[in-house]
Amino acid sequence: MKSPFRSLALFAVLAGTSLLAKADEVSVAVAANFTAPMQKIAAEFEKATGHKAQLVFGSTGKFYAQIKSGAPFQLLLAADDETPAKLVKEGDGVAGSSFTYAIGKLVLWSPKAGVVDDKGDVLRTGKFEHLSVANPKLAPYGLAAMETLKALGLADSLQPKIVLAESIGQAQQFVASGSAELGFIAYSQIHKDGKLIDGSYWLVPSKYYSQIRQDAVVLNKGKGQAAVTALTAFLKSPAAAAIIKSYGYEL
């Protein structure tokens, strides 16, 4: 079977640039849930094209506010499809440049074995003090978590136990540090090198929340920039797809 990494150098050509051309940098705002895979993708991208991706990780809601305030990002990898569409509509994103780079999955997670059962019944028992959830106004995964709790009829009863995080990355930190016994995070966050990390989790059935379609969009500051064009092409490549799937995303 042909490895998706064998033809990485071709993506420079496909993107309208060359390995011999002057290397450039692209400033990328990346949804926190996509931290680990994007770090790997950026490394392979640099090897293939010579361009560098300067990555900033955070919540999609905060990135939107920063972009509206003039932040110098050239490309946004959002945790939803609504924010990129909104930026294009409002004239801050390049029309026709949006595409879905991943479809996320929600999990309820604890770093300790045996805490979270494979049906999520721990939520009904209430035998925990704190439940970490990303702010649903800023983070699509936080919104998915609240949709799940509402679908289960537990939103009101568990409200006093919820600890809101600014991003899905912080939501995981709260659980990992012990500030919360369990929390809703992205499935990709409990993967390392394509394998599940320690702990216990419940993969939340997709029927409980709206599909988390994660879209990318070229921002006005990135229009016509070689490194931006190269990175968008690379994100659509088999090499990037292999990395993305290894972290539990769908395409």
Side-chain angles (χ1 to χ4, degrees):
M1 181 177 179
K2 185 178 180 180
S3 169
F5 296 98
R6 290 181 59 186
S7 302
L8 289 178
L10 293 177
F11 293 106
V13 177
L14 292 175
T17 185
S18 168
L19 289 173
L20 298 177
K22 180 182 177 181
D24 204 351
E25 293 184 350
V26 50
S27 177
V28 192
V30 185
N33 71 87
F34 204 64
T35 297
M38 191 57 197
Q39 288 172 333
K40 283 197 170 185
I41 289 171
E44 295 300 331
F45 168 68
E46 184 174 352
K47 291 178 185 177
T49 68
H51 296 305
K52 292 184 178 181
Q54 297 295 331
L55 309 176
V56 178
F57 303 100
S59 71
T60 296
K62 282 197 169 184
F63 281 140
Y64 171 79
Q66 291 169 0
I67 291 166
K68 297 299 291 185
S69 297
F73 298 123
Q74 297 172 306
L75 181 67
L76 169 66
L77 270 62
D80 64 3
D81 57 355
E82 295 178 359
T83 301
K86 188 176 181 181
L87 287 168
V88 170
K89 184 177 180 180
E90 294 173 347
D92 299 286
V94 178
S97 68
S98 298
F99 64 94
T100 300
Y101 66 90
I103 296 175
K105 300 176 185 178
L106 183 71
V107 296
L108 180 67
W109 174 72
S110 169
K112 297 181 180 180
V115 173
V116 179
D117 59 282
D118 61 5
K119 294 183 180 179
D121 289 338
V122 63
L123 291 171
R124 297 189 185 281
T125 68
K127 293 181 179 179
F128 55 91
E129 294 299 321
H130 299 102
L131 172 65
S132 179
V133 176
N135 189 335
K137 294 182 179 180
L138 298 174
Y141 280 85
L143 179 59
M146 295 309 299
E147 288 177 342
T148 296
L149 292 178
K150 288 178 181 179
L152 295 173
L154 299 172
D156 292 336
S157 63
L158 292 181
Q159 186 61 46
K161 296 178 182 286
I162 293 176
V163 179
L164 283 184
E166 291 187 355
S167 69
I168 199 68
Q170 189 178 63
Q172 184 187 28
Q173 290 172 8
F174 284 167
V175 182
S177 67
S179 297
E181 295 95 319
L182 61 162
F184 283 104
I185 63 172
Y187 189 47
S188 61
Q189 290 174 285
I190 58 173
H191 279 73
K192 184 177 182 180
D193 298 326
K195 298 180 180 179
L196 288 172
I197 62 175
D198 294 335
S200 53
Y201 73 96
W202 172 47
L203 181 59
V204 181
S206 59
K207 65 181 180 181
Y208 290 136
Y209 59 91
S210 302
Q211 185 182 59
I212 305 175
R213 183 176 292 276
Q214 301 192 196
D215 278 11
V217 63
V218 176
L219 302 170
N220 287 349
K221 291 181 173 62
K223 185 177 181 179
Q225 299 298 311
V228 178
T229 302
L231 182 55
T232 56
F234 191 81
L235 283 166
K236 300 173 184 178
S237 73
I243 294 172
I244 293 168
K245 288 180 179 179
S246 76
Y247 279 87
Y249 291 96
E250 294 180 350
L251 292 175

